[in-house]
Structures are given as structure tokens and as C-alpha cells.
Amino acid sequence: MSEIKLLAGNSNRALTESIAAYLGVPLTKCQVRRFADMEIFVEIQENVRGLDTFIIQSTSFPANDHLMELLIMTDALRRASARRITAVVPYFGYARQDRKPAPRAPISAKLVANLITRAGCDRVLTVDLHAGQIQGFFDIPTDNLYSAPVIVRDIKERLDLNNVMVVSPDVGGVVRARALAKRIDAPLSIVDKRRERAGESEVMNIIGDVSGKSCILVDDIVDSGGTLCNAAEALLAKGAREVYAYITHGVLSGGAVARISSSKLKELVLTDSIQPTEAVRVAKNIRVISIAPLLGEAIARTAKEESVSSLFD
Ligand code: R5P
């Protein structure tokens, strides 16, 4: 592996340090702080000329600040003659407006992809993009890693696979849920939310027999927690024995943690793509598993020009 430089933005210091420990590479000295008026100040304090550089930064809350840090760090590396700049974005925010379903809607995911590319990144490494096609919004090589191997290992260690049912919390997530069900050889069920008439509240229909099952809800994002908590209620009402949720990105805005803590979810398992807040760390039914080894291995393979997709064979 040629010499690599790892740089940390302020979004997820804990994950960055775990990746650095996995790779046995110290973090490059770099200041990313604020001017008095809150503009971002960046200074890279080591030589990076001709080197293979990786900036680790999730564009999580506060998304605008973290995105801007990533762009300015990229600019600093480019002007310092880094040989290659890879944006490692464990959580790619601004992914939820990824098409134009109505007139005058933006495609924010494409705009952010353009910003990252124009700032000077040569590659992107990300995890469980909200929609697979966002990979194609980048005109630079982009690896979309899957957290599935990490999640599958945890499920196998903790649950009785003979009695589990993988559940998609909505019709849009069926492909993701089906892939997990296949990996653990479990049946699949779907929560089908329908509003029968305008103005009436949504009805949750469960497709599949969940009675007596340990259900595993799977999704890419938990934000307000509404989707998960409502799905858990509906599954228990249909006779499910218990409900777990495995979610890649714990956005958890507003009162989401309180909502989940007081819900009927037995456990919510998140990855550390977004740095857990103190509230998440102390919540009784939330647990965090790390994708640092997955990202560390992908970085090592990128640096050695080896296959990254074979990580998922
Ligand atoms: C939707 O497309 C996503 O996959 C999640 O289901 C959604 O973002 C979850 O949002 P919330 O937790 O606010 O219900």
C-alpha cells in the first residue's frame, strides 16, 4: 500500500479514529475549526504532495456545515498537490431529493454530487446510499458499500434464525429487505401503508404471516422514527412475538430517540455511519455496531488498487 493520509472532518471523530486504528495509520494533522463569524477555517499541517489522501466526513447534522467542511478540505488538499483525493462519506446526506417527482423540485443529491466533484475529489466511498442510482450522479469512480455483512453477522450472533422474519417497513424498501432475507435465509414480509381516502389516516396492512415471529425491520435511514415505531405497532398487532430494527444511518432528529425509547421496539441496532449522540448512547433499546473495519478495509483496498466489490462476495 502506497503511503496514505487520513483526514478527519468534525462529523464523526470516533469512527475516523477507529478506521485509523484498523489501518494502523495516524490521522494527518489538520485543523478544521471556525472563524469568529462561524465560517470554516481549514489548515492541513503535514505535507501531502503526491500522496493518496482520504477525507472521512459524513454529511450528517448539521449537514450544511459538514458538507462545507468536506468541500473546503478537498480544496486544501487539491491546492497542496495531493495525488488523489477520496471523499469517504459514510452517510451521504441530501439524498432524499434524488429525482423530480413534481414540477419545480430540485435534485439535491445531484447538486451535492456535483459540488463534491467540482471541489476536486477523485473518488467517493460511501455506504448504503438512499437510492442506488445516486452512485451514477457522480462522474468520478464511486463505491457504494453495503453494511449488510456487518448487520448479518450481528443478527446471526444474537437471534434464532429459525424463527425470524425480515420486514420491509414500506413498499419502497422491499429490494433492500429482500437482499437481507436472502443472506440469512429468512422469509420476507412487507408493511403496506395505504390511505384509502384523502383526509383519512393511513392503514398499515401486513403482507405475510408474522404471528409468533421475531421480526427484523430493515431500512437505510431512521429519522423521526415514525416509520419504525408505526411498523412495530402494526406487526405486534398481527401477532409478531417481538420486533427488532436494523438501520444503517441513525439520523434521529427531533424527539426520535425518546419516541423509540418509549416504543414497542425491542431493540434498534444502528451503525456508526453517523456519530451517536449521548441520548443514543444511553438509550436502553438502541445499540450501535461499527462499520469501521468495513470502511478501513475498503480504504486499504482502494489504496492498493484491489477489488472493493469482493468484500461483499
Ligand atoms: C424512506 O424512504 C427511508 O428509507 C426511511 O424509511 C425514512 O427516511 C424514515 O423516516 P422516519 O424515521 O422519519 O419515518
Side-chain angles (χ1 to χ4, degrees), residues 83-221:
R83 177 170 55 81
R84 180 166 68 173
I85 305 167
T86 300
V88 181
V89 190
Y91 169 64
F92 180 79
Y94 278 115
R96 286 174 281 184
Q97 282 197 291
D98 61 348
R99 68 204 160 86
K100 199 164 182 275
R104 297 172 294 284
I107 304 184
S108 317
K110 173 62 181 159
L111 171 66
V112 171
N114 284 347
L115 289 170
I116 291 172
T117 308
R118 294 288 168 81
C121 283
D122 299 294
R123 302 187 64 91
V124 172
L125 197 55
T126 187
V127 182
D128 287 347
L129 281 169
H130 179 59
Q133 66 269 19
I134 294 172
Q135 191 172 23
F137 292 2
F138 291 92
D139 287 329
I140 50 178
T142 298
D143 291 300
N144 179 24
L145 307 181
Y146 304 109
S147 64
V150 181
I151 285 175
V152 165
R153 194 176 318 124
D154 194 80
I155 291 173
K156 285 185 172 165
E157 279 169 14
R158 288 177 180 258
L159 300 179
D160 172 12
L161 288 190
N162 295 315
N163 195 41
V164 299
M165 170 80 93
V166 174
V167 184
S168 174
D170 51 36
V171 174
V174 172
V175 172
R176 184 180 299 113
R178 193 195 292 129
L180 179 69
K182 201 170 156 198
R183 276 176 179 264
I184 60 172
D185 198 18
L188 174 70
S189 166
I190 302 162
V191 179
D192 175 34
K193 285 181 282 192
R194 270 191 213 187
R195 202 180 300 277
E196 298 294 348
R197 270 172 290 276
E200 287 187 2
S201 61
E202 274 183 343
V203 180
M204 314 276 277
N205 298 307
I206 310 290
I207 303 171
D209 181 8
V210 297
S211 53
K213 294 283 187 190
S214 294
C215 291
I216 304 173
L217 284 160
V218 55
D219 211 342
D220 61 331
I221 294 172

Side-chain angles (χ1 to χ4, degrees), residues 96 130 169-170 172-173 176 193 218-230 247 251-253 256 259-260:
R96 286 174 281 184
H130 179 59
D170 51 36
R176 184 180 299 113
K193 285 181 282 192
V218 55
D219 211 342
D220 61 331
I221 294 172
V222 50
D223 188 352
S224 68
T227 303
L228 280 189
C229 296
N230 294 339
I247 311 289
V251 174
L252 297 172
S253 26
R259 186 176 202 170
I260 286 158

